[in-house]
């Protein structure tokens, strides 16, 4: 195996479709032959996939029937983006892995999603806080991707940014309703913002070599977040704790449970088609 | 991106054709216009509208029993859609491919949508959705007993689409011609989506039945468990059905339970053959004289037990619904409080404007 260089097209396929990325004969510590772009796309794909899985957990449990529909709809959007991104990541990797091989046959240490999306749903306020911050990040991210030089990413960005704009609108409305609703909802919404806030740091960690450097999204992100929190009568938490590691495969304890559920049936029937 | 990429097949095209015919009939009836007006004898006018296959509309006079029957039936149907999300919702997080996950999520979402249309149709009869939901949660209104059976394997996602949605369509297609306009119109839209659900279930099951031995076994086990509960979805035999005669006279219902059950069996036999799966009824056999299949009736004593609350999942389904409602109460209260605050802000702003 040679070292892989940055590239946009698929490489020759070195292994049969459906095989995992484990390379016989290499020491476990050796880095896998992956490109920078593959890692970047995989990170975005995993954000969307894990967010979709968490949102889908709400199905039949929403606080009102309309919200069951809305959350399922947002989960479907995230899942749709995840599928496009995973497929592209598989092509960039060039190891013959399709969307299902990447979603179902990687362990938590191989996932590249940010920690925010894997946090448990909590109550409705925690879910809305997570969705609000995720959408406030995904809107400028997908918008920037839509204008980037990689045609595939540009097309995915152009499609996904419209969906994310709706997610942001929906979650912002709930953050305002809950923040400026009753005493109980205000208390719960503030607690949710406090709980989730430290995980935002990871989203915007600079990565100048990436197709879109997350640091460049900060101005848009901050402006939306501060406006909505202020309208919602919520205060910005002060904390110096900045948990991170998701982009390097170091996750919270929650992710492997989420993956256990997501992958259980697929892994119970190796080689089966569905 | 999800679910639209199946090859076309004709498993339910006959029924879909009937839905389309009902839609055309509805349009034609509307174009013909109704003769005369209610005048001095609204009861006679109501009878004329029914006799002429015209639609009764929300503001028309109608017998109280007609209204009550429709409310009961439409509410039960709406509750079934909402409770019916649970057995399938059970497998969304474990769907074995991302495509199947997307399809299942979209399907369960459709069911929530059907529930909402149907509550809206019931509201045209002068009852609110909140009242109906309270009746469900209090156990005073029913939902289809089929949803009190558990989904024990992934194959159940296919079988529910094929058999349960299939039975629902056979039941519901005639409702597209129901005499009450808002219900008939809701059913046309719902039947079109249900027909798609049935096709996806059939396709899912077909994939399993032609997959690995373990997948095939999973599919057969699932059909074995769901066949008789699906037959029971048509209700008790005609000899025991309490609501049927009056509903047929009012053209709410157009075929008897047993007629619809027979139609369903006749439809399924050929489809099971194509799937390569066996329907678990050794007595199943073509009867040339009757022009239909002879089959073993479902256990109606079991149906009655499940309706009365003793099915495998009655308690679980109701507790799940009650819990979601209870845990969402603070969210609904917050939305109401926020809306009231916004409205009062708007009012104050417009007062200021007037003063200025």
């Amino acid at each position: 195996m040679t070292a892989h260089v940055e590239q946009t097209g698929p490489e020759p396929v070195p292994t049969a479709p459906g095989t995992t990325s484990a390379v016989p004969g290499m020491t476990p510590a050796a880095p896998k032959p992956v490109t920078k772009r593959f890692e970047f796309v995989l990170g975005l794909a995993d954000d969307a996939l894990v967010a979709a899985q968490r949102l889908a957990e709400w199905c039949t449990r929403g606080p009102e029937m309309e919200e069951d529909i809305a959350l399922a709809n947002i989960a479907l959007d995230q899942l749709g983006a995840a599928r496009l991104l995973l497929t592209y990541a598989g092509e960039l990797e060039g190891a013959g892995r399709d969307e299902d091989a990447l979603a179902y046959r990687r362990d938590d240490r191989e996932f590249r999603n940010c920690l925010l999306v894997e946090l448990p749903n909590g109550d409705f306020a925690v879910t809305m806080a997570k969705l609000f911050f995720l959408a406030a990040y995904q809107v400028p991210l997908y918008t920037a991707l839509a204008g980037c030089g990689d045609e595939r990413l540009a097309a995915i960005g152009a499609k996904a940014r419209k969906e994310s704009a709706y997610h942001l609108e929906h979650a912002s409305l709930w953050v305002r309703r809950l923040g400026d609703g009753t005493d109980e909802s205000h208390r719960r919404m503030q607690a949710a913002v406090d709980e989730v806030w430290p995980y935002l740091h990871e989203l915007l960690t600079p990565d100048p070599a990436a197709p879109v450097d997350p640091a460049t999204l900060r101005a848009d992100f901050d402006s939306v977040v501060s406006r909505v929190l202020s309208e919602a009568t919520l205060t910005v938490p002060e904390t110096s704790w900045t948990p991170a590691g998701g982009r390097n495969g170091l996750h919270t304890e929650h992710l492997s449970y989420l993956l256990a559920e997501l992958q259980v049936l697929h892994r119970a029937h190796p080689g089966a088609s569905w | 991106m999800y679910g639209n990429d199946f090859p076309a097949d004709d498993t339910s095209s006959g029924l879909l054709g009937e839905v389309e015919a009902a839609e055309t009939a509805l349009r034609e009836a509307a174009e013909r216009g109704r003769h005369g007006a209610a005048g001095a004898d609204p009861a006679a006018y109501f009878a004329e509208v029914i006799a002429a296959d015209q639609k009764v509309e929300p503001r028309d006079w109608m017998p109280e029993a007609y209204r009550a029957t429709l409310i009961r039936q439409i509410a039960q149907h709406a509750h079934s859609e909402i409770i019916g999300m649970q057995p399938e919702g059970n497998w969304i997080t474990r769907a074995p491919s991302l495509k199947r996950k997307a399809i299942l999520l979209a399907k369960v979402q459709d069911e929530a949508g059907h529930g909402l249309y149907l509550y809206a149709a019931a509201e045209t009869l002068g009852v609110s959705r909140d009242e109906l939901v309270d009746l469900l949660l209090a156990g005073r209104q029913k939902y289809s007993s089929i949803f009190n059976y558990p989904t024990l394997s992934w194959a159940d996602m296919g079988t529910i689409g094929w058999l349960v949605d299939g039975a629902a369509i056979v039941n519901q297609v005639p409702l597209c011609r129901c005499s009450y306009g808002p219900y008939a119109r809701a059913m046309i839209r719902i039947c079109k989506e249900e027909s798609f659900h049935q096709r996806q279930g059939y396709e899912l099951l077909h994939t399993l039945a032609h997959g690995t031995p373990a997948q095939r076994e999973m599919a057969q086990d699932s059909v074995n468990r769901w066949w008789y509960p699906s037959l029971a979805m048509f209700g008790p035999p005609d000899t025991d059905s309490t609501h049927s005669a009056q509903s047929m006279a009012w053209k709410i219902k157009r075929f008897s339970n047993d007629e619809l059950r027979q139609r369903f069996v006749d439809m399924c036999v050929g489809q099971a053959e194509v799937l390569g799966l066996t329907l678990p009824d050794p007595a199943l056999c073509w009867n040339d004289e009757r022009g239909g299949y002879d089959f073993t009736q479902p256990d109606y004593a079991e149906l009655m037990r499940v309706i009365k609350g003793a099915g495998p999942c009655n308690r679980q389904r109701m507790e799940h619904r009650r819990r979601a409602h209870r845990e969402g109460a603070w969210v609904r209260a917050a939305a109401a409080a926020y809306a009231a605050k916004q409205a009062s802000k708007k009012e104050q702003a417009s007062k200021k404007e007037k003063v200025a």
Side-chain angles (χ1 to χ4, degrees):
Chain A
M1 288 271 173
T2 54
H4 287 227
V5 293
E6 174 70 5
Q7 58 170 41
T8 55
E11 301 169 68
V13 177
T15 48
T19 56
T20 67
S21 62
V23 181
M26 290 182 83
T27 61
K32 280 178 293 172
V34 288
T35 65
K36 175 80 190 161
R37 184 160 306 202
F38 167 69
E39 289 279 340
F40 175 80
V41 175
L42 198 57
L44 305 192
D46 289 346
D47 285 352
L49 177 62
V50 173
Q53 181 78 356
R54 282 291 187 224
L55 288 166
E57 289 173 11
W58 270 99
C59 194
T60 75
R61 293 176 173 82
E64 51 190 41
M65 291 171 202
E66 285 81 356
E67 199 54 27
D68 257 335
I69 296 180
L71 290 175
N73 205 45
I74 296 170
L76 272 169
D77 287 343
Q78 294 285 353
L79 185 54
R83 293 179 65 189
L84 294 172
L85 289 162
L86 284 173
T87 300
Y88 185 40
E91 290 169 22
L92 288 173
E93 184 191 35
R97 292 202 282 184
D98 64 8
E99 60 176 31
D100 286 338
L102 287 167
Y104 289 93
R105 295 199 291 277
R106 278 181 301 150
D107 292 326
D108 62 311
R109 298 278 282 109
E110 297 164 278
F111 270 71
R112 292 290 176 268
N113 58 281
C114 60
L115 303 181
L116 173 71
V117 292
E118 71 197 45
L119 298 177
N121 282 334
D123 66 7
F124 189 68
V126 172
T127 294
M128 282 303 124
K130 287 176 60 186
L131 181 61
F132 169 61
F133 293 126
L134 178 67
Y137 159 73
Q138 284 181 331
V139 168
L141 170 70
Y142 287 139
T143 303
L145 277 186
C148 82
D150 180 321
E151 267 180 37
R152 281 287 285 284
L153 283 179
I156 296 170
K159 178 181 186 300
R161 73 174 164 181
K162 294 180 211 150
E163 296 168 349
S164 289
Y166 161 71
H167 308 166
L168 183 59
E169 190 183 311
H170 187 76
S172 303
L173 180 56
W174 273 116
V175 169
R176 289 199 300 267
R177 279 173 174 158
L178 299 180
D180 192 18
T182 63
D183 289 345
E184 181 184 9
S185 72
H186 178 83
R187 177 179 56 73
R188 285 180 185 254
M189 194 65 236
Q190 184 65 58
V193 169
D194 293 349
E195 181 182 331
V196 165
W197 188 265
Y199 295 91
L200 306 185
H201 178 80
E202 183 186 20
L203 296 180
L204 302 171
T205 304
D207 183 3
V212 170
D213 179 355
T216 62
L217 310 174
R218 180 170 287 285
D220 282 333
F221 181 86
D222 285 349
S223 120
V224 168
V225 166
S226 65
R227 177 172 54 78
V228 173
L229 291 189
S230 145
E231 286 168 3
T233 71
L234 297 165
T235 46
V236 172
E238 282 183 31
T239 173
S240 55
W241 184 48
T242 55
R247 300 282 184 230
N248 299 316
L250 287 166
H251 292 274
T252 66
E253 290 178 348
H254 306 295
L255 184 64
S256 69
Y257 285 98
L258 179 144
L259 294 179
E261 188 172 342
L262 187 142
Q263 297 175 340
V264 61
L265 178 60
H266 183 99
R267 290 203 185 208
H269 297 263
S273 303
W274 299 96
Chain B
M1 194 176 327
Y2 43 84
N4 291 323
D5 40 358
F6 301 133
D9 68 61
D10 60 358
T11 52
S12 54
S13 64
L15 288 165
L16 207 51
E18 286 181 44
V19 174
E20 270 156 27
E23 195 174 11
T24 308
L26 193 72
R27 228 180 0 251
E28 285 168 359
E31 281 162 8
R32 277 203 309 277
R34 296 190 309 196
H35 296 293
D41 190 350
Y45 182 67
F46 173 84
E48 272 172 38
V49 168
I50 300 276
D53 270 334
Q54 296 285 7
K55 299 299 168 196
V56 178
E57 295 298 339
R59 286 179 202 171
D60 295 342
W61 181 91
M62 60 188 87
E64 272 316 300
Y66 176 86
R67 183 187 300 274
T69 297
L70 278 168
I71 290 176
R72 180 180 60 79
Q73 186 172 333
I74 299 173
Q76 179 167 326
H77 190 169
H79 300 330
S80 300
E81 297 283 358
I82 297 301
I83 297 288
M85 294 165 69
Q86 289 181 40
E88 290 174 288
N90 182 38
W91 282 90
I92 292 172
T93 57
R94 292 175 292 167
S97 75
L98 296 185
K99 180 178 157 187
R100 291 289 181 198
K101 190 190 286 288
I103 293 169
L104 186 59
L105 196 45
K107 178 173 191 261
V108 176
Q109 188 194 22
D110 279 353
E111 281 154 12
H114 294 173
L116 290 182
Y117 303 155
L118 287 162
Y119 284 123
E123 285 188 325
T124 64
L125 291 158
V127 62
S128 74
R129 179 172 117 190
D130 287 348
E131 289 173 74
L132 296 176
V133 168
D134 286 345
L135 287 169
L136 169 69
L137 297 181
R140 290 176 53 211
Q141 278 185 341
K142 303 283 184 203
Y143 54 88
S144 176
S145 62
I146 192 77
F147 301 120
N148 292 316
Y149 289 88
T151 51
L152 301 179
S153 78
W154 171 252
D156 291 2
M157 299 305 98
T159 310
I160 286 181
W162 177 43
L163 293 179
V164 175
D165 293 338
I169 295 169
V170 170
N171 254 328
Q172 289 167 10
V173 161
L175 293 175
C176 296
R177 292 176 182 272
C178 162
S179 59
Y180 188 59
Y183 193 27
R185 291 188 287 269
M187 289 317 304
I188 287 173
R189 182 159 175 188
I190 288 172
C191 279
K192 287 182 182 176
E193 292 184 5
E194 289 291 353
S195 155
F196 177 69
H197 291 173
Q198 194 212 9
R199 265 178 46 190
Q200 74 80 29
Y202 183 83
E203 191 268 349
L204 192 163
L205 216 47
H206 192 273
T207 304
L208 294 181
H210 295 80
T212 65
Q215 285 177 308
R216 197 187 146 67
E217 192 180 322
M218 193 193 282
Q220 183 62 58
D221 169 65
S222 176
V223 170
N224 293 350
R225 283 182 288 111
W226 289 94
W227 173 248
Y228 287 105
S230 300
L231 291 185
M233 283 176 71
F234 296 92
D238 293 350
T239 44
D240 300 345
S241 182
T242 45
H243 300 294
S244 290
Q246 181 61 71
S247 285
M248 286 179 68
W250 278 329
K251 296 188 181 168
I252 292 174
K253 191 169 174 163
R254 294 191 173 245
F255 299 96
S256 77
N257 294 352
D258 286 335
E259 282 170 322
L260 293 171
R261 192 170 3 249
Q262 181 71 52
R263 185 181 292 187
F264 177 69
V265 171
D266 293 345
M267 183 181 95
C268 289
V269 172
Q271 294 174 357
E273 278 168 20
V274 177
L275 287 174
L277 296 172
T278 309
L279 296 174
D281 181 0
L284 199 64
C285 163
W286 178 254
N287 183 326
D288 225 1
E289 214 168 289
R290 289 197 308 115
Y293 283 90
D294 289 338
F295 61 95
T296 305
Q297 293 290 320
D299 179 353
Y300 293 112
E302 175 180 317
L303 173 65
M304 288 305 143
R305 281 197 303 277
V306 177
I307 289 175
K308 291 205 167 92
C313 298
N314 297 59
R315 291 178 188 202
Q316 179 188 332
R317 302 286 184 242
M318 286 301 292
E319 182 44 34
H320 184 102
R321 194 65 240 141
R322 287 191 186 113
R323 186 174 164 184
H325 192 75
R326 192 169 64 232
E327 291 183 350
W330 70 272
V331 177
R332 296 191 298 275
Y338 178 80
K341 283 184 196 179
Q342 293 299 106
S344 113
K345 271 184 202 168
K346 213 173 169 183
E347 199 180 323
Q348 278 175 0
S350 81
K351 269 184 196 165
K352 269 185 197 166
E353 235 171 65
K354 274 181 196 164
V355 172

